[in-house]
C-alpha cells in the first residue's frame, strides 16, 4: 500500500452568494456557509471575486478574511484592479482565472502561455505580498511551462470539459478528457508544480480524480451548494469527502 499525500477540499461558496443576491438581502450569508463548511471538513474556502460582483462581493471577502480559521483562496481575474484588491486583502492564496462578462461560469482555463509578459509582474507582486499564486488552466503542458515561466508554484487543472462530457453521457469524450487530465497531472508535477483540480466536480468525478496521486487539492462549489438545497451543506460536504477518500484509497492499493 503506497501512502499518498493528503487530498485537501477547498469549498467554493460563490453560489451561497448567488442565492443571497437573488433577493438583494443578507441571507444566506456566505460567511455562515464557510463556517458550516469548515465544521463539516473543508480544508479551505474558495471565493471568486468577479469583476462584475455577480455573487461574492468585496465585503464578503473582507469578512471571510477576518473570520476564517482555514486558508482563503481568492479566485480573481489577472487584472491590475484585482491584484491591488488582493494585496490589500492578503488572502492565503490567489487563483488567477479567465473572466468574460457574458459568461455564465468560467468557460475555459487561463491562457497563461499567451500572456507571460503581462502575467509575470502580477504574479511576482502577489507572491511578494505573501500570497500563494495558482493558475486555473486547461490540462495542457504548454500552460504549465508558462506557470513555471511566470513563477506560479501551483496550477489548478480545469476539469469542466471532462465533467460536462460525463454528465452528457459522452463516454468517448469523457474517457479522452480524463486521460488528458491524468497525463497533465503527471506533466505538471514533473515540472515541480503543485497540482490542484476543479470545476464541475460532483462525488463521482471527484472520486475518480482523487485517485490521481499528483493532485493534492480539489476546489468544489456548485455541486455542494446545489446539493445543500436538498441535503444541507454539511451533509453534502460529508458525502463529497467520503467520495474523495474512496478515490484516494483506491489509488493507494
Ligand atoms: C474557476 C472556476 O472554475 C470556478 O471556481 C469559478 O468560480 C466559476 O465561476 P462561478 O463561480 O461564477 O460559476
Ligand atoms: N476552481 C473551481 C471551483 O472553485 C469550484 O468550481 P465549481 O465546483 O463551482 O464548478
Amino acid at each position: 500500500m503506497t501512502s499518498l499525500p493528503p487530498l485537501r477540499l477547498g469549498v467554493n461558496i460563490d453560489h451561497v452568494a448567488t442565492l443571497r443576491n437573488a433577493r438583494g438581502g443578507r441571507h444566506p450569508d456566505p460567511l455562515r456557509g464557510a463556517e458550516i463548511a469548515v465544521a463539516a471538513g473543508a480544508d479551505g474556502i474558495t471565493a471568486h471575486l468577479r469583476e462584475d460582483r455577480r455573487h461574492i462581493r468585496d465585503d464578503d471577502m473582507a469578512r471571510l478574511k477576518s473570520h476564517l480559521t482555514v486558508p482563503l483562496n481568492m479566485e480573481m481575474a489577472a487584472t491590475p484592479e484585482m491584484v491591488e484588491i488582493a494585496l490589500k486583502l492578503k488572502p492565503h492564496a490567489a487563483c488567477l482565472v479567465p473572466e468574460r462578462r457574458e459568461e455564465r461560469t468560467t468557460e475555459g482555463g487561463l491562457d497563461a502561455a499567451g500572456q507571460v509578459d503581462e502575467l509575470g509582474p502580477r504574479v511576482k507582486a502577489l507572491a511578494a505580498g505573501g500570497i500563494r499564486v495558482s493558475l486555473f488552466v486547461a490540462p495542457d503542458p504548454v500552460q504549465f511551462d508558462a506557470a513555471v515561466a511566470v513563477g506560479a508554484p501551483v496550477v489548478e487543472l480545469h476539469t469542466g470539459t471532462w465533467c460536462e462530457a460525463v454528465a452528457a453521457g459522452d463516454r468517448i469524450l469523457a474517457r479522452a478528457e480524463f486521460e488528458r487530465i491524468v497525463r497533465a497531472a503527471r506533466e505538471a508535477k514533473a515540472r515541480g508544480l503543485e497540482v490542484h483540480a476543479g470545476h464541475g466536480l460532483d462525488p463521482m468525478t471527484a472520486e475518480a480524480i482523487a485517485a490521481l496521486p499528483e493532485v493534492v487539492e480539489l476546489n468544489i462549489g456548485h455541486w455542494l451548494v446545489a446539493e445543500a438545497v436538498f441535503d444541507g451543506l454539511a451533509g453534502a460536504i460529508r458525502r463529497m469527502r467520503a467520495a474523495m477518500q474512496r478515490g484516494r484509497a483506491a489509488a493507494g492499493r
Side-chain angles (χ1 to χ4, degrees):
M1 178 106 162
T2 55
S3 63
L4 298 181
L7 179 60
R8 300 189 300 269
L9 172 60
V11 172
N12 183 314
I13 53 164
D14 292 350
H15 299 298
V16 178
T18 298
L19 196 51
R20 177 205 49 203
N21 296 356
R23 281 285 176 88
R26 299 166 61 88
H27 180 66
D29 183 356
L31 175 58
R32 181 178 169 207
E35 290 166 342
I36 290 170
V38 171
D43 297 295
I45 295 297
T46 291
H48 186 179
L49 185 68
R50 280 181 169 267
E51 291 181 284
D52 62 13
R53 297 342 187 247
R54 66 179 68 170
H55 40 55
I56 292 289
R57 294 169 177 159
D58 300 67
D59 174 62
D60 296 321
M61 295 303 290
R63 291 187 300 125
L64 287 165
K65 176 64 171 43
S66 63
H67 289 84
L68 278 184
T69 57
V70 297
L72 172 61
N73 175 33
M74 172 180 175
E75 286 184 337
M76 53 182 266
T79 61
E81 177 214 15
M82 283 297 159
V83 169
E84 188 179 344
I85 290 171
L87 287 173
K88 284 186 184 138
L89 183 75
K90 289 272 198 299
H92 165 74
C95 181
L96 305 185
V97 304
E99 276 189 27
R100 289 187 315 117
R101 292 294 170 108
E102 62 280 5
E103 67 183 2
R104 187 162 55 180
T105 184
T106 301
E107 290 174 344
L110 183 72
D111 180 20
Q115 51 186 312
V116 166
D117 293 343
E118 283 172 61
L119 271 182
R122 294 172 193 170
V123 172
K124 192 174 177 184
L126 290 166
I131 299 169
R132 187 207 69 197
V133 179
S134 64
L135 304 185
F136 184 77
V137 293
D140 178 352
V142 168
Q143 301 301 340
F144 309 155
D145 291 333
V148 172
V150 302
V154 182
V155 288
E156 179 169 329
L157 305 181
H158 187 328
T159 53
T161 305
W162 168 54
C163 291
E164 285 163 18
V166 171
D170 185 337
R171 295 164 66 93
I172 294 172
L173 178 59
R175 183 175 181 78
E177 278 300 312
F178 186 68
E179 288 172 356
R180 185 179 173 215
I181 291 168
V182 170
R183 291 193 302 272
R186 290 180 188 140
E187 290 285 343
K189 181 81 187 294
R191 288 163 172 78
L193 295 166
E194 182 172 307
V195 186
H196 300 179
H199 199 91
L201 293 172
D202 63 15
M204 184 178 68
T205 48
E207 182 173 344
I209 210 152
L212 306 186
E214 300 85 1
V215 178
V216 297
E217 180 172 307
L218 299 183
N219 284 294
I220 304 171
H222 185 267
W223 185 88
L224 291 171
V225 176
E227 191 64 14
V229 170
F230 308 113
D231 190 23
L233 185 56
I237 289 170
R238 282 193 290 270
R239 281 176 59 195
M240 185 61 76
R241 288 243 55 147
M244 290 165 62
Q245 282 157 5
R246 284 196 302 273
R248 221 39 174 195
R253 286 195 197 101

